[in-house]
Amino acid sequence: QVQLVESGGGLVQAGASLRLSCAASGRTASSYAMAWFRQAPGKEREFVAGISRAGAHTTYASSGKGRFTISRDNAKSTVYLQMNSLKPEDTAVYYCAADRDPTVVPRTLSASYDYWGQGTQVTVSS
């Protein structure tokens, strides 16, 4: 089992950048593929980006492609989401998730993920 704690959210203006962090504790973080999801008020949770266990493979939703970068430091058991050129429509609670499946390509469905953090709020003002 792994515990996930997100940090780095906040209130920023459109065009700004934020870096979210997800610290994993418990079982070795490198045992899991990791992903970021987000949920805006009144909307379903959606996939943002995913990264394989060793970090060699990444997957992005079209909404963040070219603006967001997911990375991981397994020595620190931490996954990051660098978000640039933020837009008001990026406003949401961002969640970190871990997938026990040994798949190489990160999966995009929330039901595929076994462990979740509590989330961190990102608000982008226009």
Side-chain angles (χ1 to χ4, degrees), residues 52-124:
S52 59
R53 290 181 291 176
H57 298 272
T58 57
T59 304
Y60 293 93
S62 58
S63 58
K65 198 168 291 185
R67 299 187 299 126
F68 295 176
T69 303
I70 189 171
S71 62
R72 67 189 300 163
D73 184 340
N74 285 340
K76 296 182 179 180
S77 295
T78 303
V79 176
Y80 305 98
L81 184 67
Q82 177 68 42
M83 304 188 293
N84 299 327
S85 302
L86 283 162
K87 305 174 182 180
E89 50 264 45
D90 294 319
T91 295
V93 177
Y94 283 71
Y95 297 91
C96 176
D99 182 0
R100 292 179 299 186
D101 193 279
T103 181
V104 173
V105 178
R107 300 192 284 184
T108 62
L109 295 178
S110 61
S112 300
Y113 288 79
D114 305 289
Y115 304 104
W116 293 82
Q118 293 300 306
T120 185
Q121 176 72 46
V122 172
T123 303
V124 184

Side-chain angles (χ1 to χ4, degrees), residues 19-37:
R19 188 176 80 156
L20 305 183
S21 298
C22 173
S25 61
R27 190 175 174 184
T28 305
S30 59
S31 300
Y32 303 90
M34 302 291 291
W36 289 95
F37 287 78

Side-chain angles (χ1 to χ4, degrees), residues 43-59:
K43 295 188 177 181
E44 293 187 354
R45 191 169 298 189
E46 65 176 2
F47 175 82
V48 176
I51 189 166
S52 59
R53 290 181 291 176
H57 298 272
T58 57
T59 304

